[in-house]
Amino acid sequence: NNIHSNKKVVWKRTKTELWYLISQVVDNEILVNTKKVKAEIMPKVFVYEDDKEFVKDDFKSLHKPANASDIDHLLDIIRPAKSSKKRS
């Protein structure tokens, strides 16, 4: 983590929710992660509310959060619209 914490996004929810968000962003190709190593993204971009740094190992063995639908709704908002082809 070479980015100082004041340049990172403060995450106020659980690490499970963060893991799910990043997983969906990568899986839906909203963010292209050529390495497919999602746990490497989170510590580089996010920090806990109390400025505590996330660690890659924080994201082992996590499961889909109970409120996944809230995150899915956010993804629907930020997901790029698929281009519609005009019919002639």
Side-chain angles (χ1 to χ4, degrees):
N1 286 344
N2 54 0
I3 300 173
H4 191 269
S5 64
N6 67 356
K7 304 284 185 190
K8 294 183 180 181
V9 175
V10 175
W11 187 255
K12 295 183 177 186
R13 300 188 73 167
T14 69
K15 65 183 176 187
T16 302
E17 292 166 319
L18 178 57
W19 167 83
Y20 182 75
L21 172 66
I22 297 301
S23 293
Q24 294 303 301
V25 166
V26 171
D27 293 348
N28 288 286
E29 298 180 350
I30 296 168
L31 173 68
V32 178
N33 177 8
T34 55
K35 293 182 186 179
K36 301 290 185 202
V37 183
K38 300 163 191 153
E40 289 182 3
I41 295 171
M42 293 169 275
K44 291 178 182 177
V45 178
F46 294 92
V47 65
Y48 282 109
E49 187 174 6
D50 62 0
D51 278 339
K52 181 182 169 201
E53 298 284 331
F54 283 106
V55 188
K56 183 176 159 183
D57 289 343
D58 286 343
F59 301 98
K60 290 184 178 179
S61 304
L62 297 178
H63 303 284
K64 188 174 181 177
N67 66 336
S69 62
D70 293 345
I71 296 167
D72 291 334
H73 180 69
L74 171 64
L75 291 166
D76 288 340
I77 294 168
I78 65 173
R79 184 176 291 123
K82 294 183 180 181
S83 61
S84 58
K85 295 182 180 179
K86 292 183 179 181
R87 296 181 186 189
S88 41

